Amino acid sequence: MGAGKSVLGEEAARRIGRPFVDVDRRIEEHAVVTISELFARRGETEFRVLEEEAVRSALRSSQPSVIALGGGAVGSAASRRLLRERAITLEVPIDVDTAWERSRGGGRPLARDETEFRRLYETRRPLYEDVADAKARDADDIVLAAAGIHVGLGALGHVRGLTPDVAFALVSEPHVLGIHGAAAQVALGPGLASVHELPTGEEAKTVAAVERLWHELRLPRAGTIVALGGGALTDAAGFVAATYLRGVPWLSVPTSLVGQVDAGIGGKTAIDLPAGKNLVGAFHWPVRTVIDPSLLATLPEHERREGMAEVVKTGLLAVEPLWELPDAELVRRCAAFKAAVCLRDPRESGERAILNLGHTFAHALEAAAGYDGVTHGQAVALGLLAALRLSGRSTAVVEELLAPRRVRVDRERAWAALGRDKKTGLVLLGDEGPRWDVQLPEDDIRRELDSLIAD
Ligand SMILES: NC(=O)c1ccc[n+]([C@@H]2O[C@H](COP(=O)([O-])OP(=O)(O)OC[C@H]3O[C@@H](n4cnc5c(N)ncnc54)[C@H](O)[C@@H]3O)[C@@H](O)[C@H]2O)c1
Ligand SMILES: [Zn+2]
């Protein structure tokens, strides 16, 4: 009571584009009286019967929704069972003193007597512990849970509990395996059936590398691939999960900053072809994404900068200085932002395109450089400059945090490469939020592109 379930639930539902159901409101609508009146006229026992029915109808709905339960709803064993079967259940924690301060005098039938209120709090506590899959302190936590994402220092250690009783094939690459492989193997415990290596870096995203892995795997269909590594590794291992036996479940365990704020989230998997990056792939949402920001401690500084480009992009889209946060919180907030966009538009038929802010220019510069000599992060930093200028915004944040340096590439080649992207339109920042598919005069686009290229 008083934890703010309804407010948080409504905000999370809006962010992930799902309906919001407040069970107490539903009961009031059906009974055409307030909960207080129901309690007064028909007593708590009868209210609990109505509540159980309302919980059942909300949880049985075929439409995925965010549902706020009344504080006492978990008192029903039948409701607890349904929650376990049908829902991801989050506890919104609140201490008893705050709960009492917020609830007293509000006319709630069970918040009239302080001693009674405190006793109720204590008796309900073990039920919450029993039924909750996780705790939600804010709407971001709800969004993350809805996307199957677990973020937290030490999260890797809890990986096995997320999908118990399955056989795991750990897929990683030599560099990450050398640093974090032992911890991952301990975390997977007796569930670990085999360990496989893809090459480090973009080499993992080749037909030859994934073909070798297809041959190596001996997983039953219920077996689960655990992808441990940066974005290249999760892209390739996720693609193998999407294709092996026509698709097996996978856990994404991103270890780089790029992976934790971007690549490990959202279910896009891909490999490269000589003609271009990410040309073959599949949408295959991981059953769980486990993000442990403590793994970033071993990340080299230049790899961190690669990730910061995506962090700045995310902060610009979210209109919040997410880059100022300490690592664990920065990762949690960025991951939640991307997860919400992807849940609203899982197959990129519309607004998911906003995640490409700055990327039209970035891809053109990378292609013009032949994917050599300019990293994705450096190219994104430049691309953000162009997108901000075309949006009529200050570029100060990008200059300060990413210090982009103009690249020496062939201007015509860059312009030709951009031609492929610009037909679909640009992503720009508007007063009402990011816009995608924005058409601008070619001269303006060309002028901005040229300004990113050194003579
Ligand atoms: N699927 C998507 O939605 C999506 C989104 C963005 C990027 N991507 C892809 O992600 C890839 C780039 O990701 P990346 O930058 O993580 O590349 P990466 O996987 O090549 O990792 C970069 C380097 O960091 C090392 N590394 C990773 N984690 C480490 C750790 N904890 N400690 C020390 N070293 C570590 C790796 O060994 C590698 O050398 C690209 O292929 C890109 O296409 C995919
Ligand atoms: Zn990017």
Side-chain angles (χ1 to χ4, degrees):
M1 244 183 278
K5 297 182 294 290
S6 301
V7 174
L8 289 187
E10 194 161 8
E11 184 187 341
R14 183 177 45 72
R15 283 186 48 196
I16 65 176
R18 302 291 196 277
F20 174 64
V21 178
D22 187 317
V23 168
D24 279 354
R25 294 291 88 72
R26 277 269 175 98
I27 297 170
E28 290 184 328
E29 278 159 27
H30 280 206
V32 209
V33 290
T34 65
I35 303 261
S36 301
E37 284 163 340
L38 254 181
F39 257 71
R41 284 194 215 156
R42 291 155 74 172
E44 178 166 0
T45 314
E46 216 170 302
F47 169 75
R48 294 298 171 202
V49 174
L50 294 176
E51 182 180 53
E52 199 177 276
E53 182 48 43
V55 170
R56 182 167 32 243
S57 110
L59 284 170
R60 284 263 166 85
S61 160
S62 56
Q63 193 172 35
S65 321
V66 178
I67 302 168
L69 299 180
V74 295
S76 149
S79 296
R80 289 201 301 277
R81 198 173 330 110
L82 262 181
L83 284 170
R84 265 191 294 275
E85 285 166 13
R86 304 270 308 167
I88 300 163
T89 308
L90 299 167
E91 178 189 351
V92 183
I94 184 168
D95 63 82
V96 67
D97 296 326
T98 317
W100 172 247
E101 279 313 312
R102 287 193 191 158
S103 306
R104 63 189 292 193
R108 297 182 200 228
L110 298 177
R112 296 207 174 108
D113 175 88
E114 184 169 350
T115 314
E116 186 55 24
F117 184 88
R118 288 177 182 274
R119 196 194 54 76
L120 193 62
Y121 180 93
E122 287 309 322
T123 35
R124 282 176 178 177
R125 237 157 77 146
L127 295 176
Y128 295 142
E129 298 279 311
D130 173 47
V131 85
D133 297 302
K135 294 196 199 305
R137 288 161 297 146
D138 58 13
D140 281 313
D141 281 346
I142 305 177
V143 169
L144 290 164
I149 301 174
H150 302 255
V151 189
L153 298 169
L156 177 62
H158 307 295
V159 62
R160 182 152 60 106
L162 301 173
T163 50
D165 308 324
V166 302
F168 293 114
L170 175 62
V171 178
S172 190
E173 41 100 344
H175 187 213
V176 165
L177 211 50
I179 304 173
H180 298 295
Q185 296 193 21
V186 169
L188 292 169
L192 182 62
S194 54
V195 181
H196 310 266
E197 279 187 11
L198 285 167
T200 296
E202 208 66 19
E203 273 300 298
K205 295 176 62 171
T206 60
V207 180
V210 303
E211 187 184 359
R212 271 195 301 278
L213 187 51
W214 284 326
H215 288 299
E216 260 178 59
L217 284 172
R218 295 276 178 279
L219 267 186
R221 196 180 293 274
T224 296
I225 288 179
V226 179
L228 175 78
L233 187 283
T234 51
D235 266 11
F239 177 68
V240 168
T243 46
Y244 184 69
L245 300 181
R246 298 195 187 90
V248 294
W250 70 296
L251 298 181
S252 162
V253 189
T255 61
S256 65
L257 187 56
V258 169
Q260 298 197 347
V261 301
D262 192 351
I265 297 159
K268 271 195 194 177
T269 73
I271 57 172
D272 305 332
L273 290 181
K277 283 192 54 165
N278 301 323
L279 289 181
V280 174
F283 287 98
H284 189 50
W285 202 287
V287 281
R288 289 285 188 272
T289 300
V290 179
I291 301 181
D292 187 343
S294 63
L295 305 183
L296 300 177
T298 58
L299 195 69
E301 186 52 35
H302 65 275
E303 294 297 348
R304 191 184 164 78
R305 276 200 297 276
E306 287 294 294
M308 279 314 283
E310 308 295 350
V311 169
V312 171
K313 174 195 81 177
T314 308
L316 289 170
L317 291 169
V319 200
E320 268 192 79
L322 299 177
W323 48 81
E324 290 174 0
L325 298 168
D327 266 11
E329 190 57 3
L330 172 153
V331 163
R332 188 183 75 94
R333 300 290 312 282
C334 287
F337 183 86
K338 179 167 181 189
V341 173
C342 295
L343 285 173
R344 289 199 299 269
D345 179 16
R347 291 189 167 253
E348 195 159 348
S349 44
E351 68 166 311
R352 184 167 174 166
I354 64 169
L355 299 173
N356 282 328
L357 181 70
H359 279 60
T360 303
F361 294 95
H363 291 153
L365 297 172
E366 287 179 274
Y371 298 95
D372 194 20
V374 49
T375 68
H376 180 67
Q378 292 163 343
V380 168
L382 287 166
L384 289 175
L385 285 183
L388 285 168
R389 282 193 205 113
L390 288 169
S391 305
R393 300 289 178 99
S394 158
T395 56
V397 165
V398 175
E399 313 264 11
E400 255 168 57
L401 287 157
L402 305 175
R405 305 258 307 269
R406 288 188 292 167
V407 287
R408 205 172 295 278
V409 295
D410 183 80
R411 287 171 192 274
E412 293 310 319
R413 208 173 150 194
W415 180 242
L418 194 139
R420 272 174 257 141
D421 257 25
K422 77 172 182 292
K423 286 188 205 67
T424 49
L426 291 173
V427 183
L428 296 181
L429 300 177
D431 290 336
E432 264 100 66
R435 295 177 301 150
W436 63 99
D437 290 353
V438 182
Q439 302 293 337
L440 288 181
E442 288 210 355
D443 289 352
D444 295 353
I445 302 176
R446 175 82 201 235
R447 192 186 58 243
E448 285 306 334
L449 179 67
D450 277 338
S451 77
L452 308 175
I453 299 171
D455 292 316

